[in-house]
Amino acid sequence: MPNRYDVAIIGGGHNGLVAAAYLAWAGKKEVVLERRPIVGGAAVTEEIFPGYKFTEFSYVVSLLRPEIIRELELPHHGLKILPLPSTFSPLENGDYIAWWDDADLTRREIARHSALDAEAYEEYSRVMARIAKTIKLLIRLVPPDPTSFRPRDVMNLLRLGRYAAGLSEKELYRIAKLLTQSAADLLDEWFESQAVKGTKAASGIIGTFLGPRSPGTAYVLLHHYMGEIDGAFRAWGFAKGGTGGVSNAIARSAQALGAEIRLESPVQQVKVRRGRAAGVVLESGEEIESRVVLSAVDPKRTFLSLVAPEHFPEDFLQSVRDFRIRGSSGKVNIALSRLPTFTALPNEPALYRGAISISPSVDYLERAYDDAKYRKISRRPYLDMIFPSAIDPDMAPPGHHVMSCFVQYAPYDVEGGWTDERREELGETVISTLEEYAPDIRKCIVGMQIISPKDIEAIAGITGGNIFHGELLLHQIFFLRPVPQWADFRTPLRGYYFGASGAHPGGGVMGAAGMLAAQEILKDGLV
């Protein structure tokens, strides 16, 4: 006799775990089915070398919804977020620019490069914060279908209208412009210094197969502007124990509420009975009966692999096939015998507790993209780095350290494929780039884990290795994500729901998609 549940959740990433916790909170019986031996999806921490723990894929925290932290009592279940106090960007001329959690220090630092930019930065920060707070209100709104007259869509359109009516004409124009322009064009309107623009433009290309001069990257920049920690807006932090600590805290909360989590339980297909989802079949052959099924994996797997195509309209399937999901980034995790020395700021211990960005100019970032356009690893890539062990000493043996390097660009469909030689090329490119700013880096290396987009696909189960489960482009956000007319977490197959990073409001360790999907399941009354 198959096991029976109210909800079967495919995927134990952070969105699947959040959905499980909210459904369990509502008194439902659900099971989370995770293919790996650990929960977290791309938000995991693993000991790759003895004593050295790495946040393998995602590595910083800011976007996790504060209501999720509060309602699921995540601090009670072990979540502790340690703030990152700075961003340090070494420049090609041997100088640097640094951004501190002290506004006066940051202002003086920017003024070293441009007095005009120091004046403009305060107003820029206010404007971006205002727009980000405005956009953040949409995160909890289920995207309506603007072509529908269903009551729930009409009500959500009215909510959206009331929300828009509260904005000034200037704010509406700014939002419309920001959604369509490039990060470079946005920053050119505010600043003159390449050091300022290069560091800021980097936020517009993360996880996106576009360059800083590509239209749409200004919104990606804004997406990364929406974070907060303990009410501090635009703050970023590192979770104690890495992002695996975030996933583990959510899992413990879900289990405390009654959710069941099964590891090493890969789902082969969704069962369909009389035109509706009725459970899942595991790769082992075990069948699990449920009243509804929630997929918390990427859109391609959700709709093209787990369900037979005859259960979806052809135009729907074509829209899923057209959804842009190609990965553009890799990760290099390094075990260190000691911290390397950055020649631009050799005597500042605080820089190791913050982020380090190799993004000296917009031109630098655009040239990195030029390589990737032709299926090549960027010869001089954008790197975003932290030293987790400088923030959380438990991540490495005493006196030793770990370094997390996010690498852009490393195209999924790299020329010649991701062979061992190509993977080694990625690692060597990262180290040689770092040597320009920290010449002793090679002497510090104990071990290195090199992760390509193909590895992200294989390990974390994300099609195309895209960390956002799909690019954050204008035609792939809000009521267009992942498919027009199906952005409300429902699907054309009755009883089958979708709540992952490929759904609204997008990628990052946010949890909003899982929360909203669970709420829509409860509203429909099928469980």
Side-chain angles (χ1 to χ4, degrees), residues 297 404 514:
V297 299
S404 171

Side-chain angles (χ1 to χ4, degrees), residues 299-321:
K300 306 278 189 181
R301 286 184 60 203
T302 296
F303 300 114
L304 302 180
S305 299
L306 294 175
V307 180
E310 60 264 25
H311 298 297
F312 296 121
E314 178 54 33
D315 61 342
F316 176 88
L317 291 175
Q318 189 57 50
S319 293
V320 175
R321 295 185 194 106

Side-chain angles (χ1 to χ4, degrees), residues 340-358:
T341 301
F342 286 84
T343 53
L345 197 58
N347 299 313
E348 180 49 72
L351 74 87
Y352 297 102
R353 296 194 298 273
I356 299 175
S357 179
I358 307 298

Side-chain angles (χ1 to χ4, degrees), residues 11 31 54 83 89 95 103 139 176 197 200 223 234 237 256 296 314 327 415 426 455 477 517:
V31 59
F54 293 108
S89 297
D95 199 355
I139 289 177
K197 290 190 285 188
K200 290 299 175 185
H223 184 82
R234 188 61 181 116
E314 178 54 33
E415 186 177 54
L426 175 62
D455 297 320
I477 59 174

Side-chain angles (χ1 to χ4, degrees), residues 260-289:
E260 181 181 343
I261 299 174
R262 294 180 55 176
L263 304 176
E264 299 181 282
S265 299
V267 173
Q268 183 178 68
Q269 67 181 49
V270 174
K271 295 172 61 175
V272 180
R273 187 182 301 123
R274 292 189 290 275
R276 62 166 292 169
V280 300
V281 180
L282 304 185
E283 288 183 5
S284 65
E286 179 185 354
E287 296 188 14
I288 294 176
E289 296 277 342

Side-chain angles (χ1 to χ4, degrees), residues 300-379:
K300 306 278 189 181
R301 286 184 60 203
T302 296
F303 300 114
L304 302 180
S305 299
L306 294 175
V307 180
E310 60 264 25
H311 298 297
F312 296 121
E314 178 54 33
D315 61 342
F316 176 88
L317 291 175
Q318 189 57 50
S319 293
V320 175
R321 295 185 194 106
D322 293 339
F323 190 73
R324 285 186 54 170
I325 201 169
R326 182 174 54 160
S328 60
S329 51
K331 192 88 185 297
V332 175
N333 298 312
I334 307 173
L336 301 167
S337 60
R338 60 177 174 83
L339 293 170
T341 301
F342 286 84
T343 53
L345 197 58
N347 299 313
E348 180 49 72
L351 74 87
Y352 297 102
R353 296 194 298 273
I356 299 175
S357 179
I358 307 298
S359 52
S361 68
V362 172
D363 284 347
Y364 179 99
L365 299 174
E366 191 70 25
R367 290 191 191 102
Y369 176 56
D370 286 342
D371 289 335
K373 281 190 299 188
Y374 301 103
R375 300 172 54 208
K376 299 180 185 299
I377 296 169
S378 297
R379 285 166 290 182

